[in-house]
């Protein structure tokens, strides 16, 4: 699979392509002709107008079939903006565009340089070249938001969704959603059905334990089905498929960006009732089923045709939002400072530049599938801090993967002599925290210190 850099391009195969951007973002698309201008309202695909000829948006996933675009279409520009209106992109995880071919296999990926004050980002564009189509990585941001889009694409920004007259060469974009939305973009008016009765059983058990109910999410269900089918085909339980794809990567590839996640990988039970009963009888599985923080779930099963064994995958998650990401970082800082206080040391202050560098590193470890203080390009913690604008003379870094909470990750660091030394180093005065979900282990944490 190719990894694009800004300005890089890639020839595209024929057929429908899938493009998605996990995270707390709104995804949209602008369809333009050779002049680079929209031709009318129908050329803007967004949450309130999710379909156009050759283009369809579902949650944070775009499906584009260039051959079916309207006559004269020469370019499709993929645009992202924060799901929470008024938030700058610099306060959110770095966006990553994932592209799969018509067969569903990964084609390419693009993570632009981390935005700062921008509120809208042109992430990439599909463009016609001769008889074929290519993908170009962009990463162009607009600090003036929709006004910049209007200027460059001939779009009229209005306060409602009233279409412009057909003769007017513009599209009418409504103002951003007034109510905050989560990164999961679950449509509450179209709930996922529960034909097996699993959700009723699970929520009954959660209610008995005092935990709030969860809702089925189609992306989690899709990821669960792919993983259960792979386990059944392989004939054994595993967090990774035969081609090395982890269950957590399946979740993010399905378009669900999470803050917390849990999973059940089980073989044996024949029905949802037996599956839930098994979870309730096993301590670790019971804790996952009843975890109060989870808000969404997905479950699937598949049968090994050789043995007849039934393989189950259940996924439980909480969607990533700017708010809960910030609260998680605050909790890590709070717990870290509590450890310093017990050692008689002064508290560390949060440094936004260190926080930006830490968040970028966690996101990068997920996006480029590595786990190290040294990035694939050779950069070290002090290089990343300097690139984020920090001028601190001394830099230290702790990283961790697989921990499911702020308390768990700080406890793990304190139980490791090298990490503990960083947390309790008297010279450090400032700190920044990064977190990203996905990859091989499910969670990636970065703690960046400065003095």
């Amino acid at each position: 699979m190719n990894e694009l850099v800004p300005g890089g391009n890639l020839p595209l195969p024929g057929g429908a392509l899938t493009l998605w951007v996990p995270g707390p973002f709104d995804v949209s698309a602008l369809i333009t002709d050779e002049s680079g201008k929209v031709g009318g309202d129908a050329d803007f695909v967004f949450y309130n107008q999710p379909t156009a000829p050759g283009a369809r948006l579902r949650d944070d996933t775009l499906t584009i079939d260039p051959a079916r675009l309207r006559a004269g279409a020469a370019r499709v520009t993929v645009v992202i903006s924060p799901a929470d209106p008024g938030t700058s992109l610099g306060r959110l995880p770095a966006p990553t565009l994932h592209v799969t071919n018509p067969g569903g296999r990964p084609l390419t990926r693009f993570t632009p340089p981390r935005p700062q004050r921008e509120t809208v980002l042109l992430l990439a564009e599909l463009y016609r070249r001769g008889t074929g189509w290519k993908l170009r990585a962009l990463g162009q941001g607009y600090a003036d938001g929709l006004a910049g889009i209007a200027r460059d694409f001939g779009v009229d920004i209005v306060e409602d969704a009233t279409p412009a007259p057909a003769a007017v060469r513009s599209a009418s974009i409504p103002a951003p959603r007034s109510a905050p939305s989560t990164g999961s973009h679950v449509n509450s008016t179209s709930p996922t059905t529960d034909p097996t009765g699993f959700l009723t059983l699970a929520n009954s058990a959660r209610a008995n334990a005092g935990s709030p109910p969860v809702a089925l999410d189609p992306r989690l269900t899709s990821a669960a089905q792919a993983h259960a089918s792979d386990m059944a085909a392989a004939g054994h339980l595993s967090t990774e498929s035969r081609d090395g794809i982890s269950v957590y990567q399946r979740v993010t590839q399905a378009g669900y960006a999470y803050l917390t996640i849990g999973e059940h990988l089980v073989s044996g039970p024949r029905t949802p009732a037996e599956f839930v009963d098994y979870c309730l009888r096993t301590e670790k599985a019971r804790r996952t089923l009843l975890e109060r923080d989870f808000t969404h779930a997905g479950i699937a099963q598949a049968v090994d045709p050789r043995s007849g064994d039934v393989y189950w995958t259940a996924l439980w998650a909480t969607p990533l939002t700017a708010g809960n990401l910030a609260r998680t970082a605050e909790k890590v800082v709070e717990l870290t400072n509590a450890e310093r206080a017990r050692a008689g040391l002064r508290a560390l202050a949060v440094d936004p530049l260190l926080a930006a560098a830490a968040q970028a590193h966690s996101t990068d470890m997920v996006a480029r599938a590595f786990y190290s203080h040294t990035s694939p390009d050779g950069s070290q913690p002090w290089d990343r801090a300097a690139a984020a604008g920090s001028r601190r003379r001394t830099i230290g870094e702790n990283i961790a993967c697989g921990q499911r909470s702020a308390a768990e990750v700080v406890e793990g660091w304190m139980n490791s002599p090298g990490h503990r030394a960083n947390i309790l180093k008297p010279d450090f005065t400032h700190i920044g925290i990064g977190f990203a979900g996905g990859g091989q282990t499910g969670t990636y944490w970065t703690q960046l210190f400065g003095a």
Side-chain angles (χ1 to χ4, degrees), residues 80-359:
I80 64 164
S81 56
D84 291 337
T87 302
S88 67
L89 289 167
R91 296 175 56 193
L92 303 178
T96 297
L97 172 70
H98 301 263
V99 183
T100 60
N101 66 19
R105 297 192 65 81
L107 186 63
T108 190
R109 182 170 59 198
F110 170 56
T111 302
R114 185 175 180 81
Q116 297 299 320
R117 294 181 295 109
E118 294 90 340
T119 56
V120 174
L121 186 70
L122 306 186
L123 197 53
E125 64 180 7
L126 289 75
Y127 64 99
R128 190 172 60 209
R129 180 58 53 90
T131 59
W133 284 75
K134 302 181 78 172
L135 175 75
R136 178 183 292 120
L138 297 177
Q140 176 187 347
Y142 289 84
D144 50 352
L146 293 177
I149 296 289
R151 180 182 62 245
D152 288 357
F153 287 85
V155 174
D156 289 334
I157 301 172
V158 297
E159 290 300 322
D160 57 33
T162 304
V168 177
R169 198 172 167 75
S170 66
S172 302
I173 301 181
R177 284 179 271 192
S178 57
S181 65
T182 68
S184 66
H185 289 73
V186 174
N187 184 347
S188 61
T189 62
S190 302
T192 301
T193 57
D194 180 29
T196 67
F198 163 76
L199 186 65
T200 300
L201 293 167
N203 280 335
S204 175
R206 289 174 64 85
N208 290 339
S211 298
V214 295
L216 287 178
D217 185 280
R219 292 160 297 178
L220 294 178
T221 299
S222 173
Q225 186 61 69
H227 198 74
S229 297
D230 192 274
M231 290 193 301
H236 65 84
L237 298 172
S238 176
T239 59
E240 290 187 10
S241 65
R242 292 165 294 175
D243 57 2
I245 302 299
S246 75
V247 67
Y248 316 111
Q249 288 171 307
R250 291 191 188 279
V251 172
T252 55
Q253 288 174 1
Y256 191 106
Y258 59 82
L259 179 76
T260 55
I261 193 165
E263 69 283 341
H264 290 115
L265 308 177
V266 178
S267 66
R270 312 294 299 184
T271 66
E274 290 181 10
F275 175 81
V276 172
D277 182 62
Y278 161 81
C279 293
L280 290 173
R281 289 187 287 104
T282 308
E283 179 58 30
K284 184 177 179 181
R286 177 185 176 87
R287 288 199 306 269
T288 299
L289 174 66
L290 304 180
E291 170 59 55
R292 293 184 56 84
D293 289 344
F294 294 141
T295 57
H296 297 106
I299 187 169
Q301 60 170 314
V303 179
D304 181 345
R306 296 154 299 192
S307 66
D309 291 340
V310 181
Y311 286 81
W312 297 80
T313 299
L315 298 170
W316 312 82
T318 306
L320 180 72
T321 68
N324 61 26
L325 179 62
R327 287 190 292 273
T328 297
E330 289 169 2
K331 186 64 176 178
V332 173
V333 174
E334 176 188 328
L335 293 170
T336 298
N337 279 333
E339 297 292 348
R340 288 178 64 88
R342 276 191 280 273
L345 300 172
R346 61 180 172 178
L348 301 172
V350 173
D351 182 331
L353 298 178
L354 293 180
Q359 182 59 53

Side-chain angles (χ1 to χ4, degrees), residues 402-424:
Q403 295 81 4
R404 304 303 174 92
S405 69
E408 187 178 338
V409 74
V410 173
E411 180 182 7
W413 281 327
M414 288 299 294
N415 289 334
S416 166
H419 298 96
R420 179 186 179 93
N422 270 341
I423 288 175
L424 301 182

